[in-house]
Amino acid sequence: MNQIDFVKTYPPFNQLPAPSLETLINEITIKQYTPAEYILRQGGSPCMNLYLIHTGTIRLVRDGQQFDFLESGELFGYPSLMFQSPPLVDAICDETAELYAISQPVFKQLLNEHKLFAEFFLNGLADRLRHTNRFEVSAFTGNLTIEIGTLIDKLPVTVKPDDMVQYAAQKMRAEKIGSVLVESNPSGILTEDDFTVRVLAKGLGPDTPVHQVMSRPVKTLPSDTPIYGAMLFMLEEEIHRVPITKNGQITGVISATDLLRHQTTNPFYLFRQLKRLEDPETLKQYTFEVAKTVDTLFHGGLDVTAIGRMVASLNDALLKRILKLTEDHLGPPPTPYTWLVFGSEGRMEQLLLTDQDNALVYQDDTPEAAAYFATFTKHVVDGLLQAGFPLCPGGYMATNWHKPLAHWKALFKKWILTPEPQALLEAAIFFDFRAVHGDLSVKSLDDIILEARSDKLFLAHLARSALQFVPPLGVLWGIRKDKKGRVNLKKGGITPIVSLARVYGMEAGVYFPSTLERLESAVSAGNLSQDGGDTLSETFRFILQLRLEEQLLAYKNKTKPGNKVVWNNLAPIDRRHLKEAFGVIQDYQGYLSGRFHTDRLG
């Protein structure tokens, strides 16, 4: 690889236009260093060059302790160079190195002339990760980030509350639309579904007034809502049409059909299938349908955390349908119940289908209820298995975890009062629960979790438990890889951040199962700095994104998706960011340990 091809491979040089890159190449000085030779000395003379490592390795040492290990394609020297201050570290050649040196005048000229080049050096990790654009939006899939208002192509059609439904139906047919707005206060809506469910099914006649069968108040979205936000809203609200407002006025109505036209693979296709489902056996391809949908959303520019919410809405729809079918088959339950999900599904962070993590809470502790729900949970878990959700190897499924509410409350309290290893494991699992379906309130379980904020001993033990998963950083800041050169993104990155956020969220005294909401609550409570919250949040997004990219590639190649990536297959910028991300996680694990004095626990 020639010099210009090498340099333009690495950020931020890949942001430079060709003429600037050619000028830079002509100004580069090549420097050779041997092992143990110093390039920079901590507290010494200011650095006069930006260094890009061509070959070899460099150790960065602060106060006698190595804290980073740089390889080909990585940069150093710029903090001292930019501010002409003494270096904060020693830069020492580890293996014979060839460095490309860029002088201060050339570096300053590039900073002044190229904004993206300058931002690379001026922004922190959170900003750099936030602006990482992994893909150009595909014209085939459609851009999911454009405003929903751009899809409106006609003004809203209205009727009056006292008009007859026959008149409304005739107006809908004439305009070739599936709904009309009702000029009431607040505004209402009448849809073609309302004619089926509220008019025909109830034996009402054509002279029925609109106000008797309309929905009011109507649910609306502002016109600047991104398309993915509208999709998510409609899925979660289980509606097929939503009026769009601008400056407080309704400007049009968007339907699921409008969104289907915008994309070739769309969550609404799956959603409609799920609503009509009669036998889970017919959904054997659900896993692959979800993967196709996720791939479309991902390449449509949708943030991974929003994809997680979208997938959760689809999975919830599937689960609700299976629960309904099971009730129809077994008869009504003898006592109210609620079905819970936890793990990544509970946090709404599941991007592709993984093992089942579920439980069931029921009200009355009777032999009849115990027998019913033993059979009920078996039917539901088997239905999910048929749809592509594997059984949980650890057995954390409703077939094993269906209990009366009083038993669950006793368990939650026991886990907090006696924080032994198994109790902490189960607390970490079940405290991420989310209620999906049922009439039984589980607020009392939320309250127990919230009360745990005052139990400092439990929080300290939970914090120590959160430190069990560590980033794959070696003693000398190299990356620890398995025999196949892979790193585990879940164990080394995702799980540590999820665990940190769980402790911070509980300490803040708010119950949000999602990782990002927990970090935001910790910032709001003053337990985590704004910079810390932003950095952990963007690090979490970045690692989720890397893993999803690898998993979608596995689906495309018809191999089993996993949590590991081959380190050397990652792009240079991703390796650098991931290494920094692992360092951030390690730092915040250290802060958490110090905050809760985990070293003092027995």
Side-chain angles (χ1 to χ4, degrees):
M1 183 183 293
N2 62 35
Q3 199 175 49
I4 193 166
D5 287 340
F6 176 82
V7 172
K8 73 179 183 182
T9 300
Y10 297 97
F13 306 107
N14 58 352
Q15 304 285 354
L16 296 177
S20 298
L21 193 59
E22 290 175 8
T23 301
L24 170 63
I25 295 299
N26 293 330
E27 297 291 339
I28 284 177
T29 302
I30 298 176
K31 294 180 177 287
Q32 308 283 345
Y33 291 89
T34 57
E37 188 175 356
Y38 279 72
I39 300 104
L40 300 176
R41 289 186 180 273
Q42 183 177 355
S45 300
C47 182
M48 300 307 295
N49 296 290
L50 172 68
Y51 291 103
L52 171 65
I53 303 173
H54 181 214
T55 59
T57 54
I58 303 296
R59 293 187 294 120
L60 299 185
V61 177
R62 182 187 292 125
D63 299 328
Q65 299 293 318
Q66 179 170 325
F67 73 94
D68 207 347
F69 185 81
L70 307 181
E71 303 173 287
S72 177
E74 298 195 77
L75 297 165
F76 68 96
Y78 51 88
S80 174
L81 175 65
M82 290 176 69
F83 303 110
Q84 280 300 283
S85 57
L88 299 175
V89 300
D90 293 323
I92 308 169
C93 180
D94 185 63
E95 295 177 355
T96 300
E98 180 176 276
L99 307 181
Y100 290 170
I102 301 167
S103 67
Q104 185 189 39
V106 174
F107 179 62
K108 282 192 171 182
Q109 183 178 351
L110 291 173
L111 289 178
N112 292 331
E113 294 179 356
H114 303 286
K115 180 183 177 184
L116 292 177
F117 183 88
E119 286 180 349
F120 178 88
F121 297 98
L122 297 173
N123 290 346
L125 178 62
D127 288 324
R128 280 185 277 132
L129 293 180
R130 189 178 294 117
H131 294 106
T132 296
N133 184 14
R134 305 197 55 73
F135 299 104
E136 290 188 10
V137 172
S138 167
F140 182 68
T141 60
N143 187 346
L144 296 173
T145 61
I146 66 174
E147 295 180 358
I148 191 69
T150 61
L151 300 187
I152 294 175
D153 58 4
K154 62 172 63 177
L155 294 172
V157 177
T158 65
V159 295
K160 293 182 170 25
D162 293 328
D163 286 338
M164 293 185 295
V165 294
Q166 183 180 35
Y167 172 73
Q170 290 170 342
K171 203 164 189 182
M172 288 165 61
R173 185 175 68 175
E175 296 286 346
K176 296 180 181 180
I177 54 177
S179 65
V180 288
L181 295 175
V182 184
E183 299 173 11
S184 56
N185 187 19
S187 298
I189 189 170
L190 183 68
T191 71
E192 57 191 6
D193 291 336
D194 293 328
F195 283 99
T196 303
V197 177
R198 298 179 179 179
V199 180
L200 296 177
K202 292 184 177 181
L204 300 179
D207 57 350
T208 303
V210 166
H211 68 77
Q212 189 175 328
V213 292
M214 71 179 182
S215 297
R216 187 177 69 168
V218 68
K219 297 173 180 177
T220 64
L221 284 175
S223 62
D224 59 357
T225 302
I227 286 177
Y228 78 80
M231 282 185 182
L232 194 54
F233 180 78
M234 293 166 75
L235 285 171
E236 291 179 342
E237 296 291 333
E238 298 189 7
I239 56 177
H240 297 98
R241 294 169 184 81
V242 59
I244 305 303
T245 64
K246 187 170 186 178
N247 299 323
Q249 299 296 315
I250 295 176
T251 58
V253 178
I254 291 295
S255 69
T257 303
D258 296 323
L259 298 180
L260 287 170
R261 290 195 198 102
H262 183 71
Q263 284 191 292
T264 56
T265 305
N266 188 295
F268 287 106
Y269 282 120
L270 263 181
F271 188 72
R272 287 178 176 179
Q273 280 184 283
L274 298 174
K275 298 293 281 186
R276 302 190 194 106
L277 178 69
E278 293 297 333
D279 182 359
E281 181 73 21
T282 63
L283 269 186
K284 282 185 174 180
Q285 296 300 308
Y286 181 67
T287 301
F288 300 100
E289 292 296 327
V290 168
K292 283 198 304 183
T293 300
V294 168
D295 186 73
T296 298
L297 297 174
F298 189 43
H299 288 89
L302 188 54
D303 178 79
V304 283
T305 56
I307 294 175
R309 287 184 60 192
M310 200 84 76
V311 171
S313 295
L314 290 171
N315 292 344
D316 288 356
L318 169 65
L319 178 57
K320 289 175 184 178
R321 187 60 183 158
I322 293 176
L323 289 166
K324 175 67 167 57
L325 292 173
T326 304
E327 286 185 26
D328 291 345
H329 177 69
L330 297 179
T335 185
Y337 76 92
T338 287
W339 188 276
L340 310 178
V341 294
F342 39 91
S344 59
E345 182 69 2
R347 297 188 302 272
M348 304 184 86
E349 293 162 1
Q350 185 180 94
L351 301 172
L352 298 173
L353 303 195
T354 57
D355 301 339
Q356 294 188 43
D357 290 307
N358 47 51
L360 184 140
V361 187
Y362 59 91
Q363 183 171 287
D364 296 334
D365 186 5
T366 65
E368 181 189 8
Y372 177 90
F373 287 115
T375 304
F376 182 86
T377 55
K378 178 73 166 59
H379 274 259
V380 177
V381 167
D382 286 348
L384 290 170
L385 180 63
Q386 287 177 314
F389 289 85
L391 300 178
C392 173
Y396 291 103
M397 296 173 294
T399 42
N400 301 320
W401 293 85
H402 53 277
K403 304 176 186 297
L405 179 59
H407 288 208
W408 279 108
K409 290 165 66 175
L411 267 178
F412 274 38
K413 290 176 181 177
K414 179 184 175 183
W415 291 334
I416 293 169
L417 294 174
T418 57
E420 298 169 349
Q422 186 63 26
L424 290 167
L425 171 65
E426 290 173 351
I429 292 170
F430 288 101
F431 285 7
D432 286 0
F433 81 83
R434 180 170 60 87
V436 174
H437 178 78
D439 299 323
L440 180 62
S441 171
V442 290
K443 183 179 181 301
S444 56
L445 298 181
D446 292 340
D447 292 340
I448 292 171
I449 295 174
L450 296 180
E451 289 168 5
R453 70 177 298 191
S454 60
D455 193 321
K456 301 302 181 186
L457 180 62
F458 170 74
L459 288 177
H461 278 282
L462 191 66
R464 185 171 68 175
S465 177
L467 306 179
Q468 291 178 351
F469 292 96
V470 296
L473 292 174
V475 177
L476 299 180
W477 260 69
I479 297 295
R480 286 186 280 105
K481 304 177 277 285
D482 66 14
K483 292 180 180 179
K484 295 182 179 180
R486 302 174 302 178
V487 294
N488 192 314
L489 296 180
K490 180 178 180 181
K491 288 185 177 179
I494 296 169
T495 300
I497 296 177
V498 167
S499 302
L500 286 171
R502 184 181 297 115
V503 178
Y504 276 122
M506 290 189 68
E507 184 191 23
V510 293
Y511 183 73
F512 298 120
S514 97
T515 297
L516 295 186
E517 286 178 311
R518 284 169 167 169
L519 292 173
E520 288 173 10
S521 69
V523 171
S524 298
N527 300 332
L528 184 64
S529 69
Q530 185 67 59
D531 181 64
D534 289 346
T535 302
L536 284 172
S537 295
E538 295 307 323
T539 297
F540 183 65
R541 282 191 174 95
F542 172 68
I543 300 177
L544 281 178
Q545 197 172 6
L546 271 185
R547 184 181 66 166
L548 180 58
E549 183 180 350
E550 187 73 13
Q551 290 176 332
L552 290 174
L553 185 62
Y555 267 109
K556 185 177 180 181
N557 295 331
K558 298 185 172 21
T559 58
K560 185 177 180 180
N563 295 303
K564 295 182 178 181
V565 295
V566 178
W567 181 256
N568 289 337
N569 287 352
L570 294 174
I573 183 63
D574 289 336
R575 287 203 300 269
R576 180 68 245 177
H577 282 162
L578 191 53
K579 190 174 179 182
E580 286 186 69
F582 288 149
V584 163
I585 295 169
Q586 188 177 73
D587 288 343
Y588 279 94
Q589 286 183 326
Y591 300 153
L592 190 75
S593 177
R595 183 178 183 85
F596 290 98
H597 307 291
T598 59
D599 56 325
R600 300 179 188 176
L601 297 174

